[in-house]
Amino acid sequence: MPDYLKLKKSNCQNCYKCIRHCPVKSIRFQSSQAHIVKDECILCGQCFVVCPQNAKEIRNDVPIAEMFVKGECPVAVSLAPSFVANYPGATIETMRAALKKLGFDRVEETAVGASVVKTEYEKIIKERRQSVIISTCCHSVNTLVQKYYPEALPYLAHVLSPMQAHCKMLKEEDPELKTVFIGPCISKKAEADESPYVDCVLTFEELSAWFEKEGITVEAGEDHTEESRARLFPTTGGILRTMVCDDPEYTYMAIDGVENCINALEDIKSGKMENCFVEMSACFGSCINGPAMDQGQRQPVQDFIAVNKYAGKKDFVVPQPASEELKHNFDYISLYHLMPGNIEIEAILKKMGKTRPEQELNCGACGYNTCREKAIAVYQGKAEISMCLPYLLGKAQSFSDTIINNTPNGILVLNESLEIQQINAAARKIVNVKHTSEVLGKQVIRILDPRVFIDVMQSGRGVRDERVYLAEYGKYVDQTVLYDRNYHIIMCIMRDVTDEMNEHLKKEKMGQQTIEVTNRVIEKQMRVVQEIASLLGETTAETKIAINAIFVFIILPFLYKFPVVHYSRRLKLLKRSPMLAA
């Protein structure tokens, strides 16, 4: 199947909303990205509608339509009757005027084809060709039956959809004509690719974007055409409202929404329904709530009123083709699903932490209705074990608790009211608290000075590795305080450094004592030195006096006694005498 509906990978945010709303679970989630399983998709477009990140996009066929209008062949538009809901106040004439500005040659209402189709439905009931008759206007419903409910294939009305019936009529008038259907549906693109009568399909979103690019505005107008009852088709029960349902043997019902259609198909499959005509539409509210309506125009009550008001009371005046000309066969489309046995399912559930039946919460957070459906999807490669929210939360909490409870650091978590939200065993040991329940939810002032937490919260600046003495507990801690504005919490991490600090103080005291002892020893030694110096000083003085006396009284007279000694030598000897020098 071509990519009628694609995914913008960069926008997917692991929300699983598309899986939850996909009625056939045709979405594979892998490597944190959602992927549409094309072969299983029925193109109902619910994933496109509900995606909060706008991650899905519809194939844009405007370039094909632009090529057609610029070509040599005439181009006709088959306009779905739901246009009055998408373009408030518009009529077929104002739409025709706007579309011709884009280059289209003809603009006709698909409701003309719808009138032909409803008449054929009436013939099937009148001739009682089938006990159960399922309308075949909605291609998503037809695809649902073809892929998932082959037992109900005989009950599909073998009739062309209004789109194909109308485009067939247009091409019969002019075989060279190119036909472009414009409506609110994604699945019509797939139907057109399978049809020889429809050359291109545009959604209302595509048309609106094209109008905006060309600066074209759809004007409001008035329409009083009475022969236009088939304009009711895009509303729930609209097909039945156009039909003459006068066979009392038949029951007539309208069902909208894929889930409701599935329930009805289950009943048909089990043989619980007979002699009934079932109008089925994949969209709640039918086509006026189609996935490709402009997002700003989703107003179901006003849209219904607009369509109801626009429709006439009589049928279009149009020749009715023979039944053979409207016949369409629907073939079974086989899907291959690798199904696991109970052993494989149990093994996958065990990996998700679900070892007992009561652990299978069936919460639907992963997008699947039950844990076992999720396990089957994992086996088929469409889901990952990590998609289980309770599993992820349990794993994260277990991992977090293991780290917090086993770290040697004390951890304290407060809210902005300074109430204790979490405290681990190490923190309890620091502040002498035996049980968490004693302080949980209480003000932090009961165990710690709150000033640092207030300062950090007011300033927004954290404190890192600040050494604090907790006098009440006789402990030293290196304290880190952080404030998370996003989650409105204050976290305190305390590393107990009491032993380290005590050892440091002990060494510091020993050092001080050593210095004091050293000072005393030095002081004593200095006194001894001073005493020795004093004694040495006295001895030196006495020696000096004795030497001078010897020189004066012995040597000097001797020199004068021998005159042969040179005068200068005697003078030198005299100068050497300490006493004379003095």
Side-chain angles (χ1 to χ4, degrees), residues 51-70:
C51 181
Q53 300 298 326
N54 193 28
K56 311 292 189 304
E57 62 178 347
I58 304 169
R59 187 185 74 184
N60 188 355
D61 289 327
V62 170
I64 298 175
E66 287 180 318
M67 180 183 66
F68 286 164
V69 297
K70 293 176 182 178

Side-chain angles (χ1 to χ4, degrees), residues 1-6 36 38 43 57-60:
M1 180 186 292
D3 291 326
Y4 300 109
L5 190 58
K6 298 188 295 184
I36 296 171
K38 295 183 289 185
L43 293 172
E57 62 178 347
I58 304 169
R59 187 185 74 184
N60 188 355

Side-chain angles (χ1 to χ4, degrees), residues 7-222:
L7 176 76
K8 301 175 187 175
K9 292 184 180 181
S10 59
N11 289 343
C12 193
Q13 299 293 322
N14 303 335
C15 68
Y16 314 129
K17 195 170 184 180
C18 55
I19 300 177
R20 281 195 295 277
H21 286 81
C22 178
V24 293
K25 308 304 178 191
S26 62
I27 294 176
R28 182 179 75 255
F29 198 86
Q30 191 174 44
S31 301
S32 300
Q33 291 288 333
H35 306 271
I36 296 171
V37 183
K38 295 183 289 185
D39 293 340
E40 299 178 9
C41 181
I42 62 171
L43 293 172
C44 65
Q46 286 305 301
C47 60
F48 174 78
V49 173
V50 302
C51 181
Q53 300 298 326
N54 193 28
K56 311 292 189 304
E57 62 178 347
I58 304 169
R59 187 185 74 184
N60 188 355
D61 289 327
V62 170
I64 298 175
E66 287 180 318
M67 180 183 66
F68 286 164
V69 297
K70 293 176 182 178
E72 296 181 357
C73 296
V75 187
V77 168
S78 175
L79 186 62
S82 50
F83 76 86
V84 293
N86 197 77
Y87 301 100
T91 66
I92 186 60
E93 290 301 328
T94 60
M95 288 298 295
R96 182 176 285 122
L99 287 164
K100 284 192 173 184
K101 290 179 183 178
L102 291 177
F104 291 102
D105 299 287
R106 293 181 59 182
V107 179
E108 306 295 339
E109 294 186 72
T110 313
V112 173
S115 185
V116 169
V117 169
K118 75 93 184 178
T119 303
E120 185 62 25
Y121 288 160
E122 292 171 345
K123 290 175 65 176
I124 294 173
I125 296 172
K126 186 176 181 179
E127 298 171 5
R128 299 198 175 181
R129 301 179 199 169
Q130 301 172 206
S131 174
V132 177
I133 306 165
I134 302 173
S135 66
T136 52
C137 298
C138 178
H139 186 70
S140 290
V141 170
N142 300 339
T143 306
L144 174 68
V145 175
Q146 289 176 284
K147 291 184 176 181
Y148 296 94
Y149 291 92
E151 300 88 349
L153 278 173
Y155 305 118
L156 286 176
H158 298 285
V159 182
L160 292 171
S161 68
M163 176 187 76
Q164 291 200 63
H166 186 227
C167 288
K168 183 175 184 291
M169 295 167 62
L170 292 173
K171 280 186 175 289
E172 286 175 348
E173 294 177 16
D174 183 355
E176 298 297 322
L177 193 71
K178 294 291 185 182
T179 55
V180 177
F181 172 79
I182 301 177
C185 189
I186 300 172
S187 66
K188 289 298 183 184
K189 290 179 179 285
E191 183 182 353
D193 286 350
E194 301 167 4
S195 170
Y197 311 119
V198 187
D199 297 304
C200 178
V201 167
L202 299 181
T203 65
F204 285 141
E205 283 191 325
E206 288 174 287
L207 179 62
S208 296
W210 195 1
F211 278 153
E212 184 177 355
K213 184 180 75 170
E214 299 296 333
I216 297 172
T217 302
V218 178
E219 303 293 339
E222 292 186 7

Side-chain angles (χ1 to χ4, degrees), residues 375-525:
I376 293 172
V378 171
Y379 184 83
Q380 294 173 344
K382 293 168 61 176
E384 295 177 341
I385 289 175
S386 60
M387 289 167 56
C388 179
L389 185 59
Y391 165 78
L392 277 182
L393 289 175
K395 184 177 179 180
Q397 186 172 0
S398 175
F399 186 68
S400 173
D401 289 346
T402 300
I403 293 175
I404 290 175
N405 291 329
N406 289 281
T407 180
N409 296 329
I411 296 178
L412 191 68
V413 180
L414 314 176
N415 61 18
E416 290 179 331
S417 299
L418 301 185
E419 296 171 339
I420 300 170
Q421 304 298 297
Q422 189 172 3
I423 182 170
N424 70 345
R428 294 201 310 272
K429 184 178 179 181
I430 291 172
V431 297
N432 296 334
V433 172
K434 289 185 177 180
H435 304 289
T436 303
S437 58
E438 295 177 22
V439 294
L440 205 63
K442 305 296 192 301
Q443 289 289 324
V444 72
I445 196 172
R446 294 188 58 177
I447 58 174
L448 291 172
D449 187 343
R451 283 179 293 182
V452 64
F453 306 111
I454 295 172
D455 291 343
V456 169
M457 189 165 59
Q458 289 178 347
S459 67
R461 294 190 298 271
V463 173
R464 297 183 183 275
D465 293 327
E466 180 183 53
R467 186 150 294 183
V468 178
Y469 178 61
L470 305 179
E472 185 178 352
Y473 310 109
K475 293 178 180 178
Y476 291 92
V477 295
D478 282 350
Q479 183 173 266
T480 297
V481 181
L482 304 172
Y483 176 44
D484 190 326
R485 294 184 183 275
N486 294 327
Y487 292 96
H488 309 288
I489 61 170
I490 305 164
M491 178 176 287
C492 176
I493 303 172
M494 297 179 289
R495 184 167 68 91
D496 190 346
V497 293
T498 303
D499 293 340
E500 177 185 331
M501 195 65 183
N502 288 337
E503 185 67 22
H504 174 74
L505 293 175
K506 183 178 178 182
K507 290 180 180 179
E508 192 176 73
K509 186 176 181 180
M510 289 177 62
Q512 186 65 34
Q513 290 174 346
T514 301
I515 292 171
E516 291 175 359
V517 170
T518 302
N519 286 337
R520 287 198 298 271
V521 170
I522 292 172
E523 184 180 353
K524 185 176 182 180
Q525 288 178 343

